[in-house]
Amino acid sequence: MPEARDRTERPVDYSTIFANRRRHGILLDEPDSRLSLIESPVNPDIGSIGGTGGLVRGNFTTWRPGNGRGGHTPFRLPQGRENMPIVTARRGRGGGLLPSWYPRTPLRDITHIVRAIERRRGAGTGGDDGRVIEIPTHRQVGVLESPVPLSGEHKCSMVTPGPSVGFKRSCPPSTAKVQKMLLDITKEIAEEEAGFITPEKKLLNSIDKVEKIVMAEIQKLKSTPQAKREEREKRVRTLMTMR
Amino acid sequence: MDAGMNNTSSHYKTQARCPLQEHFLPRKPSKENLDRFIPNRSAMNFDYAHFALTEGRKGKDQTAAVSSPSKEAYRKQLAETMNLNHTRILAFRNKPQAPVELLPSNHSASLHQQPKSVKPRRYIPQTSERTLDAPDIVDDFYLNLLDWGSANVLAIALDHTVYLWDASTGSTSELVTIDEEKGPVTSINWAPDGRHVAVGLNNSEVQLWDSASNRQLRTLKGGHQSRVGSLAWNNHILTTGGMDGLIINNDVRIRSPIVETYRGHTQEVCGLKWSGSGQQLASGGNDNVVHIWDRSVASSNSTTQWLHRLEEHTSAVKALAWCPFQANLLATGGGGGDRTIKFWNTHTGACLNSVDTGSQVCSLLWSKNERELLSSHGFTQNQLTLWKYPSMVKMAELTGHTSRVLYMAQSPDGCTVASAAGDETLRFWNVFGVPETAKKAAPKAVSEPFSHVNRIR
């Protein structure tokens, strides 16, 4: 049992040693830390050491949380699946966002410092470039949405020749020549405008469509008397043949 | 056809003549039919046709008047002729119907444009608004070291010390430093009143503190045998979850506080959340199980069976979040071996949806204003992801943390989210919208039922 404990505790102790070195910056603490490492499993010895000089107490206070964590790690290991990368995380702390020389104060506002550090990393690191790439993906999504109205407009433009064709059939050739020319002009204008997409042009297109519909209706009304005359003539002929 | 017409006028003229002939062809057989049925009364048919061609409506009225005084035989003959007249009228109506069809197409086009303009997306800032230093924060997945009280005070535990940060003033104060033997702090949770705070310790004790006077009120002992990693308040009931797998309901007003004990988890309880109504408790454990406990059922016995046992996660479940706008809906997030966010109907125990997020889910938060869900993740990206519910489309990915984003807390107004990670930083994100919009939403929340109960969340 004690051997197993020693084996498990040693790597953790090394990380704490490095942490202490970084925090205090004094190499002389090494022997004291080693002594505390050796004696940490025994509680009364810790008490006796506590009774000695003040310096030892200071070191001891820094050691206790590490010891506490070390003591608890055997309990956590079987259930610590989610915390497997603790060591890497701790290493990350040392090389974390803030430089080692920066004074650490709980809940101190370090917004500007962190932003400056991130800017430097962003300039140097490729990973940050990858993150920046994510932003245009949203733009691409926006771009994908824009062609939808384009296709809709094309469909609307395709519908326009329908009524004109019907009108041509109903309209007699003698009187509709001029009107046909006008229709051709309007068609050409609509086709040209279809290439460009602006809200003003959209309104103009809709107005053109309405005008076409109205013209078709008016021309149909005008054509009715002529059609009636022709029908009358044909009916008279059939009646004459019957008689 | 169109191209040919455009190119040459001769083709245009010839094609124009053909449809005219087509118009005449169908009329001849109809006339022959008329003559065959009623050859003697062709003049009458001719007159009716004349009326129909000139004015359809008036023609109909006259025919109705004429039919009343005539004899039966004459009526039958008129009916036959009227039917034929109707067919002709229909022929004229077909032409005006064509332009009528065009109008709805225009309307549909305009309708398509309107909804797009109605959906302007909310700008979600990708960077943190503020960053605070959090030295010595414990990098342990199973703990809950961050909470934002209803008095707009943020409580965070850094190793053995609990600090309070007032979001209104930006000031920091120290609540308590735990002794070496008892610490470190393993969980922290504000009471609904925003004044009292519960602190769970590594030695299985739970301390109650008054943040206004910085005075300890009492200590809850004897319930757990190992560290208390999760806490949840339900009015005056404080529910504690321990490493021993026990869930204990403590009534903080009485001397003997333990009123109920829930036994069901075989490993550490790392997630505890009471529902908005306060009737259901969700618990997640290191045994990959989520339990739903019902308060009314539990009151009958001291040792109770769970209401539902959800076993579809394949890793530890710490992230739990009750939906604020839909009752009986719970979102759960799995750990590194699972990486999914699952939605459950806690009334039936059914799994409604499961989304693979690609990394460890450490915490979940629902938005109070929109139907959105925020999740915090671990390796490798250490990002916060905002999802649109129920489509579960990613709306934003917030990056900046360089270590696992273990703890998240939401501000009382529901707009700001605080996140703490193993990189020893505490970041604030304006991910749920601008405070102005929240103020507009506030009266609606007040009008909603159980608005007061929502604060318990």
Side-chain angles (χ1 to χ4, degrees):
Chain A
M1 291 299 292
E3 293 178 357
R5 290 181 181 176
D6 292 339
R7 292 178 183 176
T8 56
E9 286 175 1
R10 286 177 184 176
V12 176
D13 297 332
Y14 288 129
S15 64
T16 53
I17 292 169
F18 290 122
N20 287 334
R21 285 184 179 179
R22 288 173 180 172
R23 290 179 183 175
H24 299 287
I26 300 172
L27 297 177
L28 295 177
D29 291 341
E30 292 180 5
D32 295 338
S33 63
R34 290 179 181 176
L35 292 174
S36 63
L37 281 173
I38 294 166
E39 296 174 356
S40 60
V42 185
N43 289 326
D45 294 341
I46 294 170
S48 64
I49 293 171
T52 59
L55 293 176
V56 176
R57 288 180 181 176
N59 294 330
F60 197 77
T61 55
T62 61
W63 265 110
R64 282 188 176 181
N67 292 334
R69 295 178 188 175
H72 290 285
T73 45
F75 294 99
R76 292 183 184 178
L77 286 179
Q79 303 177 3
R81 298 173 295 170
E82 303 299 332
N83 293 327
M84 289 304 295
I86 292 174
V87 177
T88 58
R90 289 181 179 177
R91 292 177 183 175
R93 288 183 187 177
L97 291 173
L98 298 177
S100 59
W101 50 264
Y102 190 82
R104 307 298 299 273
T105 305
L107 304 187
R108 181 175 179 177
D109 196 334
I110 55 174
T111 308
H112 303 288
I113 299 163
V114 170
R115 286 181 183 176
I117 294 170
E118 289 174 354
R119 288 175 186 173
R120 291 182 181 178
R121 291 187 176 182
T125 311
D128 291 346
D129 296 338
R131 291 178 182 177
V132 173
I133 293 169
E134 291 178 358
I135 297 173
T137 58
H138 293 285
R139 296 177 183 176
Q140 292 174 3
V141 172
V143 172
L144 290 175
E145 290 178 354
S146 60
V148 174
L150 289 172
S151 62
E153 292 175 356
H154 287 296
K155 293 179 180 177
C156 295
S157 63
M158 293 300 293
V159 176
T160 51
S164 61
V165 172
F167 169 70
K168 292 173 183 178
R169 294 178 181 177
S170 62
C171 183
S174 61
T175 59
K177 290 179 181 179
V178 177
Q179 294 171 356
K180 290 175 184 177
M181 294 298 292
L182 294 173
L183 290 175
D184 295 335
I185 294 165
T186 55
K187 289 179 183 178
E188 291 174 359
I189 295 167
E191 289 175 0
E192 289 176 359
E193 288 179 356
F196 303 93
I197 300 164
T198 53
E200 294 178 355
K201 292 182 178 178
K202 290 179 182 177
L203 290 174
L204 293 174
N205 290 331
S206 62
I207 292 166
D208 293 336
K209 293 171 187 174
V210 174
E211 287 180 354
K212 291 175 183 176
I213 295 164
V214 174
M215 292 294 290
E217 291 178 354
I218 293 168
Q219 289 168 358
K220 288 176 183 177
L221 293 175
K222 290 180 179 179
S223 65
T224 48
Q226 295 178 359
K228 294 175 183 176
R229 293 176 184 176
E230 292 176 357
E231 289 176 358
R232 289 178 182 176
E233 292 176 357
K234 292 183 179 179
R235 290 177 180 177
V236 170
R237 291 175 184 177
T238 54
L239 289 171
M240 295 299 292
T241 55
M242 293 297 293
R243 291 176 182 179
Chain B
M1 294 294 291
D2 296 338
M5 297 167 68
N6 292 330
N7 291 334
T8 59
S9 61
S10 62
H11 291 286
Y12 185 77
K13 293 178 179 178
T14 56
Q15 290 172 359
R17 291 175 183 176
C18 295
L20 291 175
Q21 295 176 3
E22 292 176 359
H23 274 282
F24 297 137
L25 291 175
R27 294 177 181 177
K28 292 179 180 179
S30 63
K31 294 178 179 179
E32 293 176 358
N33 294 332
L34 289 171
D35 296 332
R36 290 178 182 177
F37 282 109
I38 311 172
N40 295 328
R41 301 178 182 278
S42 61
M44 295 295 292
N45 296 330
F46 185 80
D47 291 339
Y48 284 121
H50 179 75
F51 287 120
L53 289 170
T54 55
E55 293 176 352
R57 294 180 181 177
K58 294 183 178 179
K60 291 180 181 178
D61 296 338
Q62 293 177 3
T63 54
V66 172
S67 63
S68 58
S70 64
K71 298 179 180 179
E72 293 179 357
Y74 186 69
R75 288 179 182 175
K76 291 180 181 179
Q77 292 175 359
L78 286 175
E80 292 176 0
T81 58
M82 289 175 68
N83 291 332
L84 294 170
N85 292 331
H86 283 298
T87 57
R88 293 180 181 178
I89 295 166
L90 289 172
F92 280 103
R93 288 178 181 176
N94 291 333
K95 296 177 181 178
Q97 286 177 359
V100 173
E101 292 175 0
L102 293 175
L103 293 176
S105 65
N106 294 330
H107 288 297
S108 64
S110 63
L111 290 174
H112 284 300
Q113 295 175 1
Q114 290 176 359
K116 294 173 184 176
S117 64
V118 174
K119 296 179 180 178
R121 286 191 176 181
R122 181 178 84 255
Y123 171 69
I124 302 170
Q126 303 290 316
T127 58
S128 59
E129 177 197 10
R130 185 183 295 203
T131 306
L132 304 184
D133 194 4
D136 296 330
I137 192 169
V138 181
D139 188 350
D140 192 335
F141 176 87
Y142 301 96
L143 308 184
N144 295 275
L145 305 177
L146 183 66
D147 195 24
W148 202 326
S150 59
N152 209 17
V153 176
L154 187 75
I156 183 169
L158 303 178
D159 202 13
H160 285 70
T161 308
V162 177
Y163 292 93
L164 303 179
W165 183 78
D166 193 332
S168 306
T169 62
S171 63
T172 303
S173 62
E174 180 179 325
L175 181 69
V176 61
T177 299
I178 305 297
D179 298 338
E180 297 290 338
E181 303 82 18
K182 302 181 180 178
V185 177
T186 52
S187 60
I188 196 165
N189 199 255
W190 282 100
D193 58 7
R195 171 170 176 170
H196 301 96
V197 59
V199 178
L201 306 180
N202 191 48
N203 71 338
S204 79
E205 292 180 2
V206 177
Q207 296 182 358
L208 297 182
W209 285 80
D210 184 355
S211 63
S213 59
N214 271 35
R215 183 167 56 89
Q216 181 177 355
L217 303 178
R218 68 179 299 177
T219 301
L220 308 177
K221 299 182 180 180
H224 292 282
Q225 300 174 0
S226 51
R227 73 181 184 185
V228 178
S230 50
L231 298 167
W233 283 92
N234 188 5
N235 289 326
H236 54 270
I237 302 287
L238 172 64
T239 307
T240 60
M243 198 178 190
D244 49 7
L246 296 180
I247 300 168
I248 298 176
N249 280 346
N250 306 269
D251 191 333
V252 299
R253 304 171 299 178
I254 59 182
R255 288 185 178 181
S256 176
I258 298 175
V259 293
E260 290 149 4
T261 302
Y262 299 150
R263 293 186 172 81
H265 285 283
T266 58
Q267 296 187 34
E268 182 166 17
V269 177
C270 47
L272 271 182
K273 281 287 190 300
W274 280 100
S275 65
S277 62
Q279 284 298 318
Q280 289 182 328
L281 173 69
S283 64
N286 195 29
D287 49 359
N288 309 351
V289 174
V290 176
H291 281 126
I292 307 295
W293 314 85
D294 195 286
R295 189 178 181 184
S296 58
V297 175
S299 62
S300 61
N301 297 323
S302 61
T303 62
T304 62
Q305 191 62 271
W306 51 81
L307 184 65
H308 296 297
R309 180 181 170 93
L310 316 174
E311 295 179 321
E312 294 192 17
H313 278 291
T314 60
S315 188
V317 181
K318 187 186 86 164
L320 300 170
W322 290 93
C323 185
F325 50 82
Q326 184 171 343
N328 297 323
L329 179 61
L330 175 71
T332 60
D338 182 81
R339 304 175 180 175
T340 61
I341 297 175
K342 295 179 188 294
F343 297 90
W344 309 87
N345 181 340
T346 58
H347 186 67
T348 63
C351 181
L352 306 176
N353 195 1
S354 180
V355 182
D356 188 357
T357 64
S359 62
Q360 181 186 50
V361 183
C362 303
S363 185
L364 286 172
L365 280 178
W366 286 94
S367 169
K368 297 178 181 177
N369 307 320
E370 300 288 343
R371 300 197 169 194
E372 294 163 0
L373 182 71
L374 183 69
S375 61
S376 67
H377 296 268
F379 305 94
T380 56
Q381 295 181 9
N382 305 316
Q383 85 283 12
L384 283 79
T385 305
L386 185 63
W387 309 82
K388 187 66 181 178
Y389 183 82
S391 60
M392 293 308 288
V393 175
K394 285 187 183 180
M395 296 181 62
E397 280 195 353
L398 314 177
T399 57
H401 279 295
T402 59
S403 183
R404 298 185 298 169
V405 188
L406 294 170
Y407 319 111
M408 275 206 303
Q410 191 175 18
S411 63
D413 61 0
C415 300
T416 309
V417 170
S419 65
D423 60 359
E424 300 187 347
T425 57
L426 177 63
R427 292 172 182 262
F428 294 85
W429 314 82
N430 286 333
V431 65
F432 283 146
V434 186
E436 295 175 358
T437 59
K439 291 179 181 177
K440 295 178 181 177
K444 296 180 181 178
V446 172
S447 64
E448 291 176 357
F450 304 107
S451 60
H452 181 70
V453 177
N454 290 338
R455 296 178 183 178
I456 298 171
R457 303 169 188 171

